[in-house]
Structures are given as C-alpha cells and as structure tokens.
Amino acid sequence: MPDLSDLHRALSAVLIADRPLGDVLAEVVGIARQALPGAEAVSTTLLRGDKAFTAAYDGRMAVDADEMQYERGHGPCMDAGRAGEVFVVEDMSTEDRWPDYARAAAAAGVGSSMSLPLPVQGRSLGGLNCYSSRPRAFGEQELAVGQEVAVLIAVAVANADAHARSTEDAENMRRAMASRAVIEQAKGVLVERHRITPEQAFTLLTHASQNTNVKLREVAEELVTTGVLRGAVR
C-alpha cells in the first residue's frame, strides 16, 4: 500500500464550505495531478441526468478526451460514473471496449487513462479521470491515490448539491410566505370594503383569479396596490 500521508494532508487542507464548487474541484484535480506522476492531465466529469460535463480539469488533454466521450455518449469517464466502477485503459491504441472513442483518443495523443467513480451514499455522481500520453501509466499506486481523491470530490459535489437544494427550498419558502402575506392583505381589503367574512373574501379572490386566468398572488398584489379586483364575480 503506498504512503498516502502527503496526499491526505493536501486534501484535508482543501476548504469545501462556502466556496464555489468549481473552485474546490479545480484545487482538488490540481492536487490529484501532482500526486499522480503518471497523470499528465486530470478532470472531473459530473453527471446530471443523461448529461455529462467536465466540471474542472488540469491539463488540456483531459478536457479534450472528455469531450470526445460526451460527443459519442459513452467512454470510460462516463461509464465510470454510470456504473460506479473503475475503468483503466492500459493502451488506448489497442482498447476495444470503446473502439471509436479509443481510436480518436489515441490519434489525439492519449496513451492510457484511468477513470474512477465519485461515490456517495451508494450512488455515483460522476467520475475522476486521469490521462497520460504513455501506455500503462496507471497501476495500483495510482489507483489508490485516485480513490482517495475521488472520495473528496464526491463529498464536495454532494455538499454543493445539498447547499443548492437548501437555498432553493429557502427561496421557495420565502416566496410562499410573501404570497400568503399579500393574499391576507387583499382579503382584509375586501372584508373592509364589502363587510364580508375572510372566507367570502378569499372566494372573491379565487373567482377573480379563475375569471382572468391570472395567478391568485398577482390578483391579490393588484388589489392591494391599486384597489382594483379584476374579473370579480359575486
């Protein structure tokens, strides 16, 4: 087992919280490239539904090889993420699992590659991809290093996704609360104007919304702002 203490120190120094995901991934793939002498380029592929994209890379060879796979819809970087398995291409010139991609990659100067899944809670978020112009550049030591890096990348991506969801949830709640507040204001206007109950006022608002095909919140906002209830039927 290779000594990974230097790698662990470098990865543990990466700040994940309150940073753009792209910045975190760029730093991590840079560390991976330094820790993998055989890797001339490293990238991170993320999967979003059926779509794959390179979220960060260090070395042009990586993003070029990634793009060749995205264009075809298959290849080791995509299949590592989809299947949650490690795919090592020892010699791109003789690779037969993805023959059309392998021919194009070999022609572009890629000699070998290693793609690892990004594991989190029993699923894979994408892949960590390492490329070299030399055949057989990736062995057991490179695999051990890659797996350590892939875990941190998966954590960073999962944290970013969770933050994005929580931010979206908070915004949706804020909007819902604002809508509720303006509807209550509009009900108050109608209660005062027509001497009716809050329930009857809400019925007036919903009828106005249906008659004008305008959202209830927008009907309420117009009433509160202008005093006009469009399309009201009593």
Side-chain angles (χ1 to χ4, degrees):
M1 181 70 181
D3 183 2
L4 301 178
S5 55
D6 288 343
L7 176 66
H8 289 160
R9 281 193 291 271
L11 293 178
S12 64
V14 177
L15 297 177
I16 295 178
D18 300 322
R19 291 181 65 193
L21 178 61
D23 291 352
V24 175
L25 297 184
E27 183 176 355
V28 174
V29 297
I31 292 172
R33 186 177 179 183
Q34 292 297 318
L36 292 163
E40 297 171 38
V42 178
S43 66
T44 296
T45 293
L46 295 185
L47 300 175
R48 291 293 186 267
D50 293 333
K51 295 184 178 181
F53 64 96
T54 299
Y57 69 93
D58 189 338
R60 187 70 209 180
M61 181 190 294
V63 71
D64 288 344
D66 289 352
E67 289 293 339
M68 292 178 192
Q69 297 171 68
Y70 304 154
E71 291 170 2
R72 292 165 172 78
H74 61 261
C77 82
M78 298 180 70
D79 291 352
R82 289 168 172 166
E85 298 180 11
V86 176
F87 289 102
V88 177
V89 177
E90 293 189 348
D91 189 338
M92 199 65 72
S93 67
T94 59
E95 175 59 47
D96 59 5
R97 287 171 292 183
W98 309 276
D100 55 337
Y101 157 69
R103 284 193 298 270
V110 180
S112 58
S113 69
M114 177 176 66
S115 294
L116 306 96
L118 306 179
V120 59
Q121 296 180 345
R123 63 191 180 97
S124 176
L125 303 174
L128 170 66
N129 315 301
C130 308
Y131 298 93
S132 174
S133 61
R134 298 183 296 105
R136 289 171 287 279
F138 305 103
E140 291 185 6
Q141 178 170 341
E142 288 75 19
L143 176 61
V145 171
Q147 288 174 327
E148 295 290 329
V149 174
V151 168
L152 181 63
I153 291 176
V155 169
V157 174
N159 285 353
D161 286 349
H163 177 70
R165 285 194 297 271
S166 65
T167 299
E168 182 179 358
D169 290 345
E171 178 62 17
N172 289 339
M173 183 175 294
R174 186 197 65 78
R175 290 176 180 171
M177 291 176 66
S179 294
R180 180 174 179 180
V182 75
I183 290 170
E184 290 300 317
Q185 285 181 283
K187 284 166 59 179
V189 170
L190 295 176
V191 167
E192 178 68 23
R193 178 182 297 175
H194 300 294
R195 306 299 185 198
I196 57 179
T197 66
E199 290 76 14
Q200 290 171 323
F202 186 73
T203 298
L204 285 179
L205 289 171
T206 56
H207 286 172
S209 173
Q210 294 166 3
N211 293 338
T212 59
N213 197 28
V214 174
K215 291 180 180 178
L216 181 61
R217 173 181 53 79
E218 295 176 8
V219 170
E221 286 177 347
E222 183 178 17
L223 175 60
V224 170
T225 303
T226 67
V228 175
L229 182 61
R230 290 188 299 170
V233 175
R234 290 195 63 186

